[in-house]
Amino acid sequence: MAVSKQDHAANVVVTGEEPQEGLSCLVPPVHRQTTARSLTSEENEKLCGDQTLVSDFKQMKLEKEAQKNWDLFYKRNTTNFFKDRHWTTREFEELKACHKCEAQRLVLLEAGCGVGNCIFPLLEEDPSLFVYACDFSPRAVEFVKQHNLYCPERCTVFQCDLTKDDLQVHIPEASVDVATLIFVLSAVHPDRMHQALCNIFRVLKPGGIILFRDYGLYDHAMMRFKAGNKLGENFYVRQDGTRAYFFSKECLADLFNGAGFENVTNDYVLRETVNKKEGLCVTRVFLQSKFRRPAWPQSS
């Protein structure tokens, strides 16, 4: 998480996580809470006044060109936009080396792997880990395959649209211990999120868990979108054509419960981020959550 030179979340100066060229200083501590951030009267007035939606024609065009827009994002930024996510094992103990013996290994799915900023630190840390990794962007998948730590014996990477491509083409049913959805679901159209979660559900083992982190309701990036960028409630389009949804914890729980998952944890994470050069101090809001596929068979 950081303030950066360029905002990919709202065309201003904040991003969902720390880019390679970040200018920021993070202000401790991280604050977790169960309720949404309170809005100022000015923020509330701005949200209430921004009710005009992007036209249906443009929205259909954005959906049709979603893959192309993410491919162009990786063409422009290659592997240089985000730093490696070394924080994931600190935040999610499920990603730590937890095999009971040398013959047992953790099987991970990273849904929306980007260029590998999460998987390669994990592969380095746990020699027994096996990773399935997929991304919407074919270009991102190629960057993963070109990484010097990529090893087909330890990592299977493939292009996939989670909303329509069956993961079981590449992953055996009920074979994954842990799946990650880190700044991924927010890029999916709200009408298609259910399909993506059901897709992941089928490849998780009974008792398997999804680790989730993404944009939370009233994050600074959401508050900085200007009029003309709104696609729907809490859903916006960036200047480059990629999209971002900002989750409430209630909405997120309903989505996962509707796909068959049970709640483990589901909280807002708030943190102030400072850009000394720009003289900015902003509040970032994320949802950090865990959802489990039930260990028992579900009734019809």
Side-chain angles (χ1 to χ4, degrees), residues 3-4 45 64 136 149 151 176 200 240:
V3 176
S4 75
E45 184 178 351
K64 183 178 179 179
F136 195 24
L149 292 178
C151 174
V176 171
I200 297 171
D240 63 3

Side-chain angles (χ1 to χ4, degrees), residues 3-4 12-14 23-25 27 220 224 272-283:
V3 176
S4 75
V12 287
V13 290
V14 292
L23 301 172
S24 68
C25 170
V27 179
H220 178 70
R224 290 300 299 269
E272 284 191 331
T273 310
V274 174
N275 184 323
K276 293 181 178 179
K277 183 176 180 180
E278 301 292 336
L280 290 174
C281 178
V282 300
T283 301

Side-chain angles (χ1 to χ4, degrees), residues 40-51 221-227 230 236:
T40 66
S41 57
E42 288 182 356
E43 289 173 329
N44 189 60
E45 184 178 351
K46 177 185 182 299
L47 284 183
C48 291
D50 185 13
Q51 298 299 322
M222 175 180 174
M223 305 310 299
R224 290 300 299 269
F225 275 108
K226 298 196 178 353
K230 189 170 185 178
Y236 297 84

